[in-house]
Amino acid sequence: MGPLDILSSPVTWVVTIVSLLYILYKYATSTFDYFSDQGIRGPKPIPIFGNLWGIWKANIPEYDVALVKQYGKVFGYFDGLLPNLWITDADMIKAICVKDFEHFVDRRSFGIQTKVMRKWMMLMKGQEWKDIRSSVTPAFTTGKIKRMSGLIRDCVSNLSDQMSRLTESDGKIDSKLVFSAYTMDVIARCAFGLKIDNLGSKDDQFMKNAAYILNPPANKSPIVLLPFVYPKLLSSLSTYAERLLITKEHRFFFKLLEDVLKDRSQSKEKFHDFIELADEAISDFTKEVDGKTVPMWSREEIDEIIMAQSTIFMLAGFDTTATTLTNTCFQLARNPEIQEKLYESIVTKMEDYDEVCHDMVQDMPYLEMVIQEVLRYYPPLTRVERECTKDYSYDNGRIQIKEGQMVTIPAFALHHMEEYYPDPEKFDPERWTPENKAKRNPYAYLAFGIGPRSCIGMRFALEEMKIAICAVVQKFRFFPVEETPEKLRFENGLLAVLQPVQAVVGIELRQ
């Protein structure tokens, strides 16, 4: 039998195909023994996709809770071939996010190099992230937020007027829609210095574009798996990735910010908004070069950083805050005794103030307790992720985490664990009294993340929520109607922020 006969033989083709399939299978499962070799259990992965198949149609809060109940506080998971250690052990959370942070400096990123997006703080890595975080932090001090609180109060006035109209016409509100208009109004004024008159209307491009960026249709389809299964795809196909990532919705805000920055450069007017405060803080950041102190960045670089942080400020702040206010409204409607206790605390505090303001909301313990319990019950971001930046071992080497691997903390599941929160399905602000907080491990609460990479805008978000809640609860009473569900549910899909379903409540003016 000659060489050509061997090559054309059916046996040769069968052996070749079987061999190739075997090689492909070995590659597609090459990492799947990583956790089992360490004695760490977890859900069984499938070739190529790991544990991600079907995630685009799952209900993430329920999915995560079920995983933690089945596999415990530490288990292995696979994002495609990438090992991902899931943890809800509070001591380990402290070690990874705080104590040994130098091993977990980065969040998940996909090598995005597109202008503006490459400077998003949430995607940045290493020293560059540290420098920009340090430069932007002064824009979120208590004093700077107080400067923006006047803008917030104007937005609350619009919110109150809208609620009054709905009280007279319908007697009920779609709270997510109403609060989304409020939070976008706040973002537009406090981040961009813009007043928008048609927020929430059919022609409102601000909310439409922001909602699309946060929750695109791809998040509910298998397409969402691509950056997880092939994490280097976006960086290796940068031109095509830019077309995929930078949609017309992104360009709407990028163009808006370019125009705002151009106008600001030609004006001496003071706006007391985020762009102005961030410009001041970033421009003041310096470095040493040849023994001389010089600005860290050029004017062009500063403008790009401002644009990046402003868009993140909008995207991170718009929907997370609207969702939290929606969830607060729902729980107050379902728990009238809590609503009335909150109302009484507001009325008592108002005896010392002419209006709801920054100074008033700083010392309202029960308001703080209600908000903390809402964020415990419904953390808007269901997962917190860290990427290992250098090899790490925990518990005397029992658990090994290699550079490049992911660690996921399922915040929603963590917040609903009986070990940390007895009777976790009960909405109970009393969990947050000083005495009860002292009994609980503080690393079992991740509403704003934790450690050096926690939410930089936490103080601003709390200010925005506190002023709004005080103003509306003082004037309105919320109650269940026929459309109000017994338990608030959220949309399926791998969504960036929890999206409440059917968050309709009744509303009436207080007498």
Side-chain angles (χ1 to χ4, degrees), residues 114 117 120 208-214 216-218 240-255 315:
T114 302
M117 290 179 71
W120 280 0
K208 285 181 181 179
N209 290 329
Y212 184 91
I213 293 170
L214 282 164
Y240 300 101
E242 180 169 337
R243 294 176 185 174
L244 179 66
L245 289 171
I246 308 300
T247 64
K248 67 179 187 299
E249 289 80 12
H250 288 90
R251 292 192 182 93
F252 171 85
F253 291 105
F254 294 165
K255 178 64 166 63
L315 294 172

Side-chain angles (χ1 to χ4, degrees), residues 338-405:
I338 292 174
Q339 182 176 182
E340 292 311 303
K341 184 174 180 178
L342 177 60
Y343 169 72
E344 292 298 332
S345 72
I346 294 170
V347 169
T348 300
K349 198 69 177 177
M350 284 297 295
E351 293 175 359
D352 300 323
Y353 294 89
D354 295 330
E355 61 179 350
V356 177
C357 61
H358 170 83
D359 291 333
M360 172 189 164
V361 301
Q362 295 311 300
D363 184 28
M364 296 192 65
Y366 195 67
L367 171 63
E368 182 81 17
M369 290 161 59
V370 169
I371 292 174
Q372 296 299 324
E373 179 64 353
V374 171
L375 288 168
R376 193 279 304 177
Y377 205 100
Y378 310 108
L381 301 177
T382 57
R383 298 173 179 174
V384 173
E385 296 182 328
R386 295 290 182 268
E387 180 180 327
C388 183
T389 52
K390 55 183 176 179
D391 291 358
Y392 178 74
S393 65
Y394 181 78
D395 193 13
N396 295 320
R398 185 177 66 86
I399 296 175
Q400 299 288 333
I401 305 174
K402 298 294 184 182
E403 180 181 346
Q405 291 180 204

Side-chain angles (χ1 to χ4, degrees), residues 116 184 187-188 192 194 196 198-199 203-213 245-260 307 311 314-315:
V116 179
M184 183 53 78
I187 292 295
F192 306 148
L194 300 174
I196 306 169
N198 66 337
L199 282 171
D203 299 324
D204 172 18
Q205 294 302 308
F206 261 76
M207 285 176 58
K208 285 181 181 179
N209 290 329
Y212 184 91
I213 293 170
L245 289 171
I246 308 300
T247 64
K248 67 179 187 299
E249 289 80 12
H250 288 90
R251 292 192 182 93
F252 171 85
F253 291 105
F254 294 165
K255 178 64 166 63
L256 173 73
L257 279 163
E258 285 178 357
D259 292 343
V260 169
M307 287 179 63
T311 51
M314 181 211 63
L315 294 172

Side-chain angles (χ1 to χ4, degrees), residues 182-251:
Y182 162 69
T183 57
M184 183 53 78
D185 192 12
V186 171
I187 292 295
R189 296 200 195 194
C190 293
F192 306 148
L194 300 174
K195 183 176 180 179
I196 306 169
D197 296 324
N198 66 337
L199 282 171
S201 70
K202 292 181 179 180
D203 299 324
D204 172 18
Q205 294 302 308
F206 261 76
M207 285 176 58
K208 285 181 181 179
N209 290 329
Y212 184 91
I213 293 170
L214 282 164
N215 296 304
N219 284 9
K220 295 184 179 182
S221 76
I223 295 174
V224 76
L225 300 187
L226 288 176
F228 295 92
V229 176
Y230 303 106
K232 296 181 180 179
L233 182 66
L234 296 182
S235 57
S236 62
L237 300 175
S238 57
T239 302
Y240 300 101
E242 180 169 337
R243 294 176 185 174
L244 179 66
L245 289 171
I246 308 300
T247 64
K248 67 179 187 299
E249 289 80 12
H250 288 90
R251 292 192 182 93

Side-chain angles (χ1 to χ4, degrees), residues 81-92:
L81 298 183
L82 179 65
N84 186 341
L85 187 71
W86 283 40
I87 61 172
T88 53
D89 180 277
D91 291 333
M92 193 171 182

Side-chain angles (χ1 to χ4, degrees), residues 266-451:
Q266 302 170 359
S267 171
K268 294 183 179 180
E269 183 181 352
K270 289 292 184 180
F271 293 86
H272 302 298
D273 59 12
F274 177 75
I275 288 180
E276 183 175 284
L277 298 175
D279 197 341
E280 293 173 1
I282 296 168
S283 298
D284 288 342
F285 206 69
T286 60
K287 62 182 177 181
E288 293 291 324
V289 178
D290 297 330
K292 297 181 180 180
T293 300
V294 298
M296 174 66 79
W297 299 286
S298 68
R299 183 68 247 177
E300 183 179 354
E301 290 171 322
I302 289 172
D303 285 347
E304 183 180 0
I305 293 169
I306 291 171
M307 287 179 63
Q309 306 329 309
S310 296
T311 51
I312 283 297
F313 186 19
M314 181 211 63
L315 294 172
F318 155 61
D319 212 23
T320 53
T321 305
T323 294
T324 301
L325 287 170
T326 298
N327 300 339
T328 302
C329 188
F330 172 81
Q331 286 292 359
L332 293 179
R334 280 291 175 198
N335 296 276
E337 70 288 350
I338 292 174
Q339 182 176 182
E340 292 311 303
K341 184 174 180 178
L342 177 60
Y343 169 72
E344 292 298 332
S345 72
I346 294 170
V347 169
T348 300
K349 198 69 177 177
M350 284 297 295
E351 293 175 359
D352 300 323
Y353 294 89
D354 295 330
E355 61 179 350
V356 177
C357 61
H358 170 83
D359 291 333
M360 172 189 164
V361 301
Q362 295 311 300
D363 184 28
M364 296 192 65
Y366 195 67
L367 171 63
E368 182 81 17
M369 290 161 59
V370 169
I371 292 174
Q372 296 299 324
E373 179 64 353
V374 171
L375 288 168
R376 193 279 304 177
Y377 205 100
Y378 310 108
L381 301 177
T382 57
R383 298 173 179 174
V384 173
E385 296 182 328
R386 295 290 182 268
E387 180 180 327
C388 183
T389 52
K390 55 183 176 179
D391 291 358
Y392 178 74
S393 65
Y394 181 78
D395 193 13
N396 295 320
R398 185 177 66 86
I399 296 175
Q400 299 288 333
I401 305 174
K402 298 294 184 182
E403 180 181 346
Q405 291 180 204
M406 295 301 302
V407 175
T408 292
I409 308 168
F412 192 98
L414 176 72
H415 288 188
H416 287 259
M417 290 177 66
E418 186 83 29
E419 175 180 342
Y420 304 122
Y421 302 97
D423 195 6
E425 298 307 312
K426 179 182 179 182
F427 182 80
D428 183 12
E430 298 301 319
R431 299 180 198 274
W432 301 97
T433 62
E435 299 77 17
N436 287 332
K437 283 179 66 176
K439 299 174 186 176
R440 186 169 54 246
N441 192 315
Y443 295 94
Y445 180 72
L446 273 73
F448 290 100
I450 203 160

Side-chain angles (χ1 to χ4, degrees), residues 50-114:
N51 298 113
L52 291 176
W53 189 254
I55 195 69
W56 65 87
K57 56 185 178 182
N59 185 276
I60 296 301
E62 296 175 1
Y63 177 86
D64 289 1
V65 168
L67 281 177
V68 171
K69 285 183 176 180
Q70 183 173 358
Y71 297 106
K73 295 195 290 185
V74 178
F75 61 89
Y77 192 92
F78 290 90
D79 301 337
L81 298 183
L82 179 65
N84 186 341
L85 187 71
W86 283 40
I87 61 172
T88 53
D89 180 277
D91 291 333
M92 193 171 182
I93 292 171
K94 177 182 179 181
I96 285 175
C97 294
V98 180
K99 181 174 176 288
D100 299 317
F101 173 73
E102 69 274 12
H103 289 265
F104 299 94
V105 175
D106 297 338
R107 292 183 179 178
R108 188 196 296 269
S109 66
F110 306 104
I112 296 172
Q113 294 301 316
T114 302

